[in-house]
Amino acid sequence: MSDVNGPTGQTPASNGPEDAAVGTAGTGTGAEAATGSTTGSAAESVAGAGAPTAAATAAAGGRRVRVVLVDDHRMFRTGVQAEIGETERTGVEVVGEAADVDQAVTVITATRPEVVLLDVHLPGGGGVEVLRRCAPLMADARQPVRFLALSVSDAAEDVIGVIRGGARGYVTKTITGTDLVDSIFRVQDGDAVFSPRLAGFVLDAFASTDAPPVDEDLDRLTQREREVLRLIARGYAYKEIAKQLFISVKTVESHVSAVLRKLQLSNRHELTRWATARRLV
């Protein structure tokens, strides 16, 4: 993808594993052009059935929504761009991309999008840190920036963490392009958007006055190690985990070894029992 300048005439400096991009849909700095990748094939229920979708209603009225993509995997950002970024068809204009917390804050501040698609696990502190640093933008009554979490994780603590941080919804990366566009427009309108399973986590969390106990063993693991742990416990093969997380098989093996060492477990069968006992599967 060719380099372009952002709306202020300067491109934010890269602070992470990949360059951030500020520009118009289909262009950016440090991210390759979207050429046809897709975000997933399984539909996720994020809106009511039967009635016209928010995206269809918006398209009929010529509405547009400006979006920033925040994810540390370039291939995934490229796939999302290809799936939702045809503005004339979807009404979504991708105005910037970022790969870590510092880039995200810089790009979001520079472009002031209506909606940010935010990965939960990012270098530099994760999605919660982006939300914390963008709190003034979310609180702007005239031009609020709203956040929709888009993550591979469906863990309760991840969902609750970003919702407490101010995100308006949470969908997983199995969502279809059509449903994702609809979710974006709903979040722009101020709605809260969840799949039914994830909404249950939020209801349970806010219905309780007691803070969840801290699991010291789980707290030893990095966010990526937790993702690998859950997928291993669900029976995924290393190749399947690598494909889902956009990492190499060798990296998966390294994460599994680290998890076993930190938890003082011997094999994946013990790991599965450990995760099941803690209701992480």
Side-chain angles (χ1 to χ4, degrees), residues 79-257:
V80 174
Q81 169 81 5
E83 189 75 13
I84 71 173
E86 295 180 15
T87 307
E88 293 304 314
R89 176 178 62 86
T90 65
V92 174
E93 180 186 3
V94 178
V95 297
E97 300 179 17
D100 62 29
V101 169
D102 288 338
Q103 290 176 3
V105 174
T106 298
V107 173
I108 294 165
T109 302
T111 59
R112 296 297 293 266
E114 282 86 28
V115 177
V116 177
L117 292 180
L118 179 68
D119 192 10
V120 175
H121 302 145
L122 294 167
V128 172
E129 178 64 13
V130 175
L131 291 164
R132 186 187 69 80
R133 291 168 60 178
C134 289
L137 300 180
M138 289 189 282
D140 188 331
R142 291 180 303 146
Q143 190 182 353
V145 176
R146 295 189 168 102
F147 287 78
L148 173 62
L150 175 62
S151 176
V152 70
S153 172
D154 60 359
E157 64 265 28
D158 288 335
V159 178
I160 295 164
V162 295
I163 298 307
R164 289 190 187 279
R168 296 294 304 175
Y170 194 118
V171 294
T172 64
K173 290 180 178 180
T174 57
I175 193 170
T176 64
T178 300
D179 282 344
L180 181 57
V181 170
D182 189 60
S183 298
I184 290 168
F185 275 102
R186 289 182 180 276
V187 167
Q188 182 192 27
D189 289 337
D191 292 345
V193 180
F194 302 91
S195 66
R197 168 177 159 80
L198 303 187
F201 294 155
V202 177
L203 291 174
D204 290 345
F206 286 93
S208 173
T209 57
D210 297 325
V214 175
D215 189 323
E216 294 182 0
D217 289 332
L218 187 62
D219 206 42
R220 295 191 185 100
L221 307 182
T222 67
Q223 293 286 0
R224 179 62 84 196
E225 288 168 352
R226 294 184 192 188
E227 290 178 344
V228 172
L229 162 65
R230 291 188 185 94
L231 293 174
I232 285 288
R234 291 173 184 175
Y236 283 70
Y238 284 5
K239 287 184 179 180
E240 294 172 323
I241 296 172
K243 182 177 181 181
Q244 184 158 346
L245 298 181
F246 298 93
I247 58 180
S248 69
V249 173
K250 185 175 181 180
T251 301
V252 174
E253 293 172 349
S254 297
H255 285 314
V256 172
S257 296

